[in-house]
Amino acid sequence: MLKIKCPICGNRDETEFSCGGEAHIARPLVDNKLTDKAFSEYLFMRDNPKGIFLERWCHTSGCRRWFNLARDTISHEIIEVYPIGQMPKTAKGKKSYQANWRRRSKAEAASKPAKRIVK
Amino acid sequence: MSPKQSHRLRANSGAINRQKSVQFTFDGKKYTGFEGDTLASALLAHGMHLVGRSFKYHRPRGIFGCGSEEPNALIRVIHPSNAEPNLRATQLEIYDGLVAESQNRFPSLKIDFLSVNSFFARFFPAGFYYKTFMWPASLWMFYEKFIRQAAGLGRVSKDHHDPDRYEHKYAHCDLLVAGGGASGLQAALVAANSGARVIIADEQSELGGWLLTDNNFNIDQKPAMDWASNVIKKLRSMPNVSCLVRTTVAASMDDNFILMAERVTEHLSIKEAHLPKQRLWKLRAAKVILATGAIERPLIFSGNDLPGIMLSSAARSYIFRYDVLAGTRAIIFTNNDDAYYTALAIHQAGGFVRCVVDLRDNPKSQIITTLRKLGIDVRTGHAVTAAHGTLHVASVDIAKYDTENGAPTLDAVHMDCNFLAMSGGLNPVVHLHSQRKGRLIWDDRTSCYRPENKSDEWVSIGSANGTFQLGRALSEATKVASSVITKLTSENKGIMLQETIAIPQTEENKQNWTPLPVWLVQSGQPYISDKTAFVDFQNDATAADIKLAVREGYHSVEHVKRYTTTGMATDQGKTSNINAIGILANTLNKSIAETGTTTFRPPYTPTSIGAIAGRNIGSLFAPVRTTRMHSWHKANGATFEHVGQWMRAWYYPREEEDFQQTINREVHATRHYAGLLDASTLGKIDVKGPDSAEFLNRVYTNNFATLPIGKSRYGLMLKEDGMVFDDGVTTRLSEDHFYMTTTSGGAAGVLAWLEELLQTEWQDLKVYLTSVTEQWSVASLSGPNAKSILKACMSEDKTVVDDFPFMTMKDTFIAGIPARIFRISFTGEMAFEINVPARYGLALWSYLMRVGKEFKLTAYGTEAMHVLRAEKGFIIVGQETDGTVTPYDLDMHWIVSKKKADFIGKRALERSSMNEPQRKQLVGLLTDDPNKIIPEGAHAVLDPDQKMPISMLGHVSSSYYSPNLKHSIAMALLKGGLNRKGQTVYIPMLDGQEPIKAKIVDPIFFDKQGDRLRG
Ligand SMILES: [Zn+2]
């Protein structure tokens, strides 16, 4: 059972938390029309890497706050815990963020206002 | 008069209390042992080896080991009110009044009818179960009865009731030392001196480990156990140390989360009421030192499973620790030096060592010379190629053996005996290391897998690390503990490493710890001898099974394990795994390192379900929620049903009324007069903040931004995939304040989902959510008389009832109680949902029932509620929906806003597949026979006579008898259902009865215009 450091409460047992899966999945803006296929990248496709994974967790049986963490799926080591809406700060976390296929997906591009999409 | 302890030695080791006799019963016969005996040692003291029959072949099996590694001696303990199967006799401490019996035998240990199995060994070759399942099913039918009778390990109590209490204990420590042998004690001492909080746990009844058995050498010029006793005394006196015995470290998990099973009262004849039977420790340790020792390997040869054959270390342990000489005419079979010490012990205890058979060609050690000088027959380069006997070993074949080619080189000599002790080398207990996915390294020098110490969180020392030599182990323990403490010091100011730490000194041990790995001793006819050369005693897996698996193409160690079931019994292959890997490697012509190992998984030894459950049983297993009106429901004879965690009044039967009659009465009363439902379980969420309207607009499919103050609106919530997630009525209390209701079962999930959106997706919205489900009691009053009843109940201005439009809310008083009354309806009748502060729930309910009496007000339960809403075609989320149903599938296009820019699920609903005409859609069903009620969950087909497999049209989601229509009604989700109205479908029945014929209709069966509802 993991020991997770809730940013509000500190170290707690994993059983107090629930895992919300992959972090940094941006919701496409309605103004940006997406094909069904591109939209499915947002709706259905989830990463499952062997190695560093950026996840969302919620301290369900505690303060009920959501936060992000970077976890090694092989060793289960938690590399860092960081707030929702922010980027990972460790080198490993940053690398994982950049390496994710989603960074180059149409769905993610569509999460930014249309005029800023580089054609 | 108990039988004599014929095999008890005169010598008194001091480990058992010879002054205190203990009476116990085994298989109906009374025996005497001593305090400190295990059941195994006490039985051996009577010369009894045979204690069980094997799992598959029902072969006679004897006591084989002396601890948790025991594969054979599994027994059943009978308590006054229940029985416990599969306890290891080698760990079970005897106490006055203990009643135990052998297992897996019929009718008795000595005569077992099922042991004919062994003559038909071909019935159970490797992969037997797989093959049986792969053959035509009819063959499995044939075999099943036979297998079921023969297989199975132990029996549980008939009534499945466990009267004992188990507890969980949560703890933290700086260091856990798993194992209380020499290394563990030294490591704990070093750590404890630094001020660290230390827990040292050992599965045995006392600390000391192997020193309790082998006390033949000195530590710091004192007998080893004297040194150990001193250390134990010191540790026990320190406030920062907990010494736990009878405590198995069962599991090591992420971040050093440790499970320990402590047997608290199992060894006591008087079990005090305040003590639990077992205590399950849930421990979080900063660091873990694994000093779990090593387990001896057996040697594999034909007949090696006969009673009277045991591990050399166990034989020695019974002599030194329990004063028991397990056999008087002994053969020692070994591939290393250690078993010579057992030979010496037997000799010194007065036993006759017939012969020491050593696989090694020309071993040179002091101990061998010593034995020869004593006149003991030592034959090197020899092997025991077979053991013979029926219920006990009676003789062995000994032959000169070529270990290179794996065959005897000369004819065997026959030698009689009544005991055989064997040693095939040592396996470090790496289970806890392996559970953490720690790697194992094959060590050619000691012929064993030892842990790769790479983690910062845990480390192995001593025998568990392959360091078998005592002096080296003590030095390793000292160094490792110091470095662990140094690491802790940097994290914790209270811990300070003491500067001078003495390493306990031992005299140089000349013992040679290098065994000659011979994984399988074969006779001249291996095809025959391999079949009785047992590798896994508990699962009856033989060398022949492993070879067969390889011939059939299984080469991976994980596959061979599962195919032969080697290492898959309750002992998890503690004595068999490495031998199995050795035989596999030889058969594949690979090295052991190339062959690899299987994974050890928790728990280390079987842990009782009772301990895992702890106090979370019965009513404490899952909390039950009741409403404030619960006592009224109970007093009025309600039958309850579970809705999520809630207990809801299901129906209120009167005398001599059956289920259907009750429902009919409740439904009829509500439609014709008035009904009252306890709706307190509805989820209620208080939504507040300047962006509340905008937020609700985004989470509901319909428009909430425009909802006027004081008005209510029914809303449908989707998940981002466009599927219906929840529904309910939400009311605007003020500009920035809403009162949301959800389904009873979905309340927690809805709150969590909305919180998630606010915290992650829309952090910019200023909205605050509070669950108020338990703050409000709700009585739902409906029916033609509802208005009159409400009016009669109003304490102040009764005119508010006159001007009370549909879908509005009033803040008022009823019977002097502040109330929020909503004019909303789930029955299709004129209805009011009266919300009062929770504590007034019962008062409100009783008052309404009292005042309502003259208006024929009837309390109705959830079943009548279901019928009433189904008559109106109202859906229930979770019944008509299952996470794959869109609003369009429910024919609720009207609720999906076309104007809103966005809401959760909008884009997903626009996917081309969502408009697929063959999606399952909600329709009503009317049976041809008005009295036939279709079972819920049944499937509908267009043609019941079509060939199998029949193509399904969809399933029935709700089905009731409607007393108002005097007709059975149902709702169903059918493929393309919206365009099928008027068609006939058939619902085939499981019980072989005629399919039910029904017509597809609109799901609104009653008052289609909704005139009654608006009043
Ligand atoms: Zn928290």
Side-chain angles (χ1 to χ4, degrees):
Chain A
M1 180 165 52
L2 296 174
K3 187 169 72 181
I4 298 173
K5 192 165 189 174
C6 168
I8 316 277
C9 313
N11 280 319
R12 292 290 189 279
D13 280 345
E14 183 184 344
T15 46
E16 292 185 14
F17 298 84
S18 46
C19 180
E22 186 180 341
H24 306 292
I25 303 175
R27 191 166 185 267
L29 300 178
V30 272
D31 297 340
N32 297 320
K33 297 295 171 214
L34 276 176
T35 61
D36 279 2
K37 190 167 186 301
F39 183 67
S40 74
E41 292 168 345
Y42 160 75
L43 188 57
F44 296 122
M45 301 308 283
R46 295 294 180 269
D47 218 13
N48 184 21
K50 185 177 177 182
I52 308 297
F53 192 32
L54 308 179
E55 298 172 321
R56 296 180 317 146
W57 284 74
C58 180
H59 194 188
T60 328
S61 303
C63 62
R64 295 186 69 88
R65 300 308 292 176
W66 283 86
F67 55 91
N68 290 320
L69 64 77
R71 185 173 66 93
D72 187 329
T73 60
I74 304 168
S75 67
H76 294 186
E77 186 197 350
I78 294 170
I79 317 291
E80 65 172 308
V81 173
Y82 58 101
I84 293 286
Q86 292 189 18
M87 291 294 138
K89 287 175 187 63
T90 60
K92 279 180 178 175
K94 281 180 187 161
K95 198 177 153 205
S96 167
Y97 178 83
Q98 288 306 334
N100 192 311
W101 62 272
R102 198 178 294 284
R103 301 294 90 79
R104 291 162 294 285
S105 72
K106 287 200 175 83
E108 180 158 313
S111 68
K112 298 171 187 87
K115 57 187 171 192
R116 273 164 54 193
I117 298 179
V118 185
K119 286 274 161 67
Chain B
M1 195 43 205
S2 306
K4 230 181 119 212
Q5 299 185 42
S6 53
H7 286 60
R8 190 74 74 176
L9 297 169
R10 212 171 294 253
N12 186 349
S13 65
I16 56 170
N17 184 358
R18 299 288 288 260
Q19 309 306 315
K20 192 151 184 290
S21 289
V22 172
Q23 316 290 324
F24 67 98
T25 307
F26 182 71
D27 275 350
K29 218 167 140 186
K30 283 197 162 37
Y31 295 92
T32 307
F34 293 112
E35 191 180 72
D37 260 329
T38 61
L39 180 62
S41 67
L43 290 173
L44 287 170
H46 293 84
M48 288 179 59
H49 285 257
L50 173 64
V51 288
R53 289 274 174 170
S54 71
F55 175 58
K56 259 196 318 198
Y57 303 131
H58 282 243
R59 285 172 69 96
R61 288 287 162 79
I63 294 158
F64 187 75
C66 60
S68 63
E69 78 283 3
E70 176 63 41
N72 290 340
L74 299 184
I75 49 93
R76 189 168 187 250
V77 171
I78 317 290
H79 302 297
S81 54
N82 72 330
E84 241 180 313
N86 297 337
L87 296 176
R88 286 166 298 278
T90 49
Q91 283 189 298
L92 182 77
E93 297 167 58
I94 58 166
Y95 52 84
D96 266 321
L98 167 73
V99 181
E101 62 177 32
S102 54
Q103 299 188 149
N104 237 31
R105 79 290 192 267
F106 177 81
S108 75
L109 261 183
K110 289 193 177 161
I111 311 157
D112 186 326
F113 293 153
L114 289 167
S115 75
V116 293
N117 271 356
S118 51
F119 295 117
F120 296 99
R122 61 200 167 86
F123 269 170
F124 289 101
F128 173 78
Y129 293 94
Y130 292 95
K131 285 167 185 165
T132 312
F133 280 121
M134 277 159 61
W135 290 341
S138 55
L139 259 178
W140 169 245
M141 302 292 185
F142 171 76
Y143 278 119
E144 188 185 1
K145 209 177 151 197
F146 173 68
I147 293 166
R148 286 212 189 282
Q149 195 184 356
L153 202 57
R155 265 184 308 130
V156 294
S157 298
K158 276 216 175 81
D159 62 359
H160 304 284
H161 173 69
D162 186 346
D164 294 312
R165 207 178 76 239
Y166 302 83
E167 276 174 6
H168 288 174
K169 185 177 170 89
Y170 295 82
H172 292 82
C173 67
D174 295 313
L175 174 69
L176 167 73
V177 180
S183 310
L185 287 172
Q186 173 64 11
L189 185 66
V190 170
N193 280 333
S194 74
R197 291 172 303 160
V198 177
I199 293 178
I200 177 166
D202 195 285
E203 63 179 353
Q204 298 206 53
S205 56
E206 49 190 317
L207 297 173
W210 188 239
L211 299 184
L212 292 164
T213 288
D214 239 350
N215 200 11
N216 277 341
F217 31 80
N218 291 339
I219 300 177
D220 288 345
Q221 287 87 46
K222 277 178 286 184
M225 202 52 217
D226 289 5
W227 170 85
S229 301
N230 260 330
V231 174
I232 295 164
K233 215 167 120 190
K234 212 177 283 174
L235 289 173
R236 286 199 186 278
S237 71
M238 297 172 88
N240 55 328
V241 179
S242 301
C243 297
L244 301 173
V245 292
R246 300 185 183 90
T247 305
T248 305
V249 181
S252 174
M253 292 178 267
D254 288 318
D255 295 321
N256 279 342
F257 182 76
I258 309 287
L259 281 186
M260 304 194 292
E262 182 185 6
R263 301 180 298 282
V264 183
T265 59
E266 275 175 24
H267 62 290
L268 302 172
S269 62
I270 296 161
K271 301 171 199 314
E272 290 187 57
H274 72 280
L275 290 172
K277 177 173 182 169
Q278 288 185 18
R279 197 176 277 140
L280 190 75
W281 288 68
K282 298 187 171 191
L283 176 70
R284 190 69 83 168
K287 306 284 176 195
V288 172
I289 288 181
L290 300 174
T292 44
I295 292 173
E296 195 160 41
R297 286 196 290 258
L299 288 163
I300 313 299
F301 56 93
S302 172
N304 64 342
D305 66 326
L306 276 167
I309 298 180
M310 73 166 61
L311 293 172
S312 153
S313 55
R316 199 144 96 236
S317 198
Y318 288 118
I319 293 171
F320 285 130
R321 194 168 166 190
Y322 301 101
D323 308 341
V324 171
L325 183 61
T328 47
R329 293 170 70 76
I331 304 281
I332 311 295
F333 185 20
T334 186
N335 67 357
N336 63 75
D337 274 5
D338 190 65
Y340 285 84
Y341 290 90
T342 303
L344 184 63
I346 293 173
H347 177 82
Q348 287 170 345
F352 173 38
V353 178
R354 270 302 248 134
C355 184
V356 178
V357 183
D358 192 333
L359 281 159
R360 297 173 297 176
D361 255 335
N362 199 12
K364 287 191 181 62
S365 281
Q366 183 58 42
I367 182 74
I368 301 173
T369 321
T370 309
L371 283 204
R372 283 201 161 120
K373 271 187 191 152
L374 290 168
I376 291 169
D377 180 5
V378 176
R379 301 190 187 188
T380 58
H382 275 65
V384 172
T385 53
H388 307 285
T390 46
L391 291 174
H392 196 94
V393 61
S395 65
V396 292
D397 295 339
I398 297 171
K400 184 118 186 71
Y401 197 78
D402 176 359
T403 52
E404 284 290 306
N405 293 308
T409 49
L410 285 171
D411 281 349
V413 179
H414 201 68
M415 207 180 269
D416 72 282
C417 66
N418 63 14
F419 186 66
L420 189 148
M422 58 180 165
S423 176
L426 291 173
N427 286 336
V429 176
V430 296
H431 296 64
L432 295 167
H433 170 81
S434 192
Q435 285 177 14
R436 292 292 301 275
K437 299 218 176 108
R439 272 192 61 219
L440 299 174
I441 305 162
W442 180 255
D443 186 334
D444 269 323
R445 196 180 55 81
T446 47
S447 277
C448 68
Y449 270 111
R450 58 178 176 78
E452 179 190 49
N453 283 318
K454 255 186 138 174
S455 167
D456 197 35
E457 291 176 31
W458 78 92
V459 56
S460 298
I461 59 168
S463 300
N465 193 34
T467 310
F468 300 127
Q469 209 271 335
L470 180 66
R472 286 198 203 127
L474 286 169
S475 145
E476 183 175 273
T478 314
K479 282 177 194 150
V480 168
S482 307
S483 87
V484 166
I485 291 305
T486 307
K487 274 181 210 152
L488 280 175
T489 310
S490 62
E491 299 161 19
N492 186 332
K493 291 197 181 78
I495 301 172
M496 182 67 82
L497 188 65
Q498 300 302 300
E499 273 169 25
T500 50
I501 295 152
I503 298 171
Q505 294 304 304
T506 61
E507 58 260 51
E508 182 69 18
N509 188 330
K510 302 243 169 50
Q511 194 170 341
N512 178 4
W513 284 107
T514 309
L516 175 69
V518 174
W519 304 113
L520 170 63
V521 176
Q522 298 181 126
S523 73
Q525 294 159 296
Y527 183 69
I528 296 167
S529 65
D530 285 356
K531 282 189 172 177
T532 47
F534 283 85
V535 180
D536 184 323
F537 292 75
Q538 205 170 85
N539 260 356
D540 270 353
T542 64
D545 288 329
I546 294 171
K547 289 183 176 180
L548 177 66
V550 172
R551 282 204 302 280
E552 293 188 351
Y554 292 88
H555 291 184
S556 141
V557 61
E558 294 283 0
H559 291 158
V560 171
K561 165 182 165 174
R562 281 156 185 83
Y563 197 59
T564 61
T565 71
T566 304
M568 289 172 70
T570 64
D571 65 348
Q572 275 200 55
K574 289 188 178 63
T575 56
S576 66
N577 267 4
I578 302 299
N579 280 330
I581 294 165
I583 295 170
L584 177 64
N586 278 359
T587 315
L588 292 170
N589 256 324
K590 280 186 184 174
S591 72
I592 298 231
E594 283 167 337
T595 309
T597 54
T598 57
T599 312
F600 290 111
R601 294 193 172 83
Y604 173 64
T605 50
T607 305
S608 66
I609 298 287
I612 293 166
R615 294 278 190 109
N616 304 324
I617 51 168
S619 60
L620 296 178
F621 177 66
V624 167
R625 302 170 80 183
T626 55
T627 71
R628 303 296 180 112
M629 291 83 129
H630 191 75
S631 60
W632 190 95
H633 305 323
K634 260 178 104 171
N636 285 272
T639 303
F640 293 89
E641 73 165 338
H642 290 271
V643 179
Q645 286 175 331
W646 288 104
M647 285 276 274
R648 294 194 72 178
W650 189 14
Y651 59 103
Y652 304 83
R654 288 183 183 160
E655 267 174 60
E656 308 202 352
E657 247 181 7
D658 68 11
F659 174 79
Q660 193 59 53
Q661 287 166 338
T662 313
I663 305 309
N664 291 352
R665 174 177 54 76
E666 291 177 8
V667 170
H668 183 269
T670 307
R671 285 264 183 259
H672 291 87
Y673 312 107
L676 192 62
L677 173 82
D678 180 357
S680 307
T681 62
L682 274 184
K684 303 176 245 341
I685 299 169
D686 191 86
V687 184
K688 222 171 186 171
D691 297 319
S692 296
E694 169 63 18
F695 176 62
L696 292 175
N697 225 28
R698 294 186 193 183
V699 296
Y700 280 122
T701 60
N702 45 341
N703 199 325
F704 273 80
T706 56
L707 185 68
I709 293 166
K711 292 247 179 197
S712 306
R713 189 164 287 170
Y714 172 78
L716 207 55
M717 247 182 235
L718 312 182
K719 275 283 176 94
E720 194 67 314
D721 60 2
M723 303 301 160
V724 173
F725 167 57
D726 205 76
D727 68 349
V729 171
T730 289
T731 305
R732 191 170 205 157
L733 301 174
S734 71
E735 189 58 33
D736 59 355
H737 191 188
F738 291 80
Y739 183 70
M740 173 189 282
T741 62
T742 73
T743 57
S744 294
V750 172
L751 182 71
W753 168 237
L754 300 182
E755 265 296 338
E756 181 181 337
L757 287 172
L758 286 173
Q759 286 185 39
T760 65
E761 204 58 63
W762 300 319
Q763 287 185 314
D764 53 323
L765 292 187
K766 271 203 154 68
V767 181
Y768 305 93
L769 305 175
T770 311
S771 165
V772 291
T773 301
E774 301 206 328
Q775 276 59 44
W776 295 94
S777 286
V778 183
S780 179
L781 175 67
S782 53
N785 294 346
K787 207 169 192 171
S788 314
I789 297 169
L790 187 63
K791 203 165 186 177
C793 288
M794 297 306 287
S795 24
E796 290 167 12
D797 185 7
K798 288 181 193 288
T799 58
V800 293
V801 181
D802 297 323
D803 177 29
F804 205 155
F806 185 51
M807 297 306 268
T808 60
M809 187 278 289
K810 291 217 193 285
D811 240 326
T812 177
F813 285 85
I814 180 164
I817 304 167
R820 279 181 191 168
I821 305 177
F822 301 82
R823 218 203 114 187
I824 53 181
S825 174
F826 194 45
T827 58
E829 297 298 321
M830 156 83 69
F832 301 92
E833 285 196 356
I834 306 162
N835 291 231
V836 294
R839 63 187 180 280
Y840 297 119
L842 184 59
L844 169 76
W845 182 275
S846 311
Y847 183 67
L848 284 168
M849 287 306 294
R850 200 159 60 238
V851 176
K853 200 166 181 185
E854 63 173 294
F855 303 94
K856 294 198 173 177
L857 178 64
T858 301
Y860 68 96
T862 50
E863 186 65 23
M865 172 196 83
H866 275 245
V867 178
L868 289 160
R869 65 91 200 176
E871 287 179 343
K872 285 291 297 173
F874 293 150
I875 61 151
I876 284 187
V877 170
Q879 188 150 348
E880 271 63 56
T881 71
D882 59 4
T884 68
V885 178
T886 69
Y888 303 151
D889 298 337
L890 297 169
D891 202 12
M892 290 171 75
H893 295 70
W894 55 270
I895 206 166
V896 181
S897 165
K898 305 285 178 297
K899 290 183 200 142
K900 285 201 290 187
D902 195 13
F903 58 84
I904 294 289
K906 180 179 165 71
R907 175 62 186 86
L909 274 182
E910 289 164 1
R911 286 176 295 157
S912 54
S913 56
M914 293 299 99
N915 291 313
E916 226 292 306
Q918 285 306 306
R919 287 186 62 82
K920 284 187 178 181
Q921 291 155 344
L922 186 72
V923 294
L925 292 180
L926 276 179
T927 51
D928 269 18
D929 177 348
N931 293 315
K932 254 210 165 116
I933 302 170
I934 311 170
E936 282 178 0
H939 279 255
V941 301
L942 281 175
D943 172 12
D945 298 322
Q946 59 188 299
K947 251 181 37 195
M948 300 259 223
I950 296 180
S951 64
M952 316 274 196
L953 204 57
H955 69 275
V956 176
S957 57
S958 293
S959 179
Y960 313 94
Y961 180 76
S962 160
N964 293 302
L965 296 158
K966 302 217 172 358
H967 203 294
S968 132
I969 56 168
M971 290 157 102
L973 286 146
L974 302 184
K975 282 180 192 162
L978 294 178
N979 288 321
R980 288 188 191 277
K981 290 189 184 152
Q983 291 183 13
T984 300
V985 289
Y986 296 86
I987 296 97
M989 292 289 98
L990 269 178
D991 56 13
Q993 285 190 18
E994 274 295 290
I996 299 174
K997 198 175 168 194
K999 206 162 83 194
I1000 302 176
V1001 296
D1002 190 88
I1004 306 173
F1005 298 97
F1006 185 79
D1007 185 29
K1008 278 199 203 312
Q1009 264 55 52
D1011 298 334
R1012 303 170 70 92
L1013 180 110
R1014 285 177 180 84

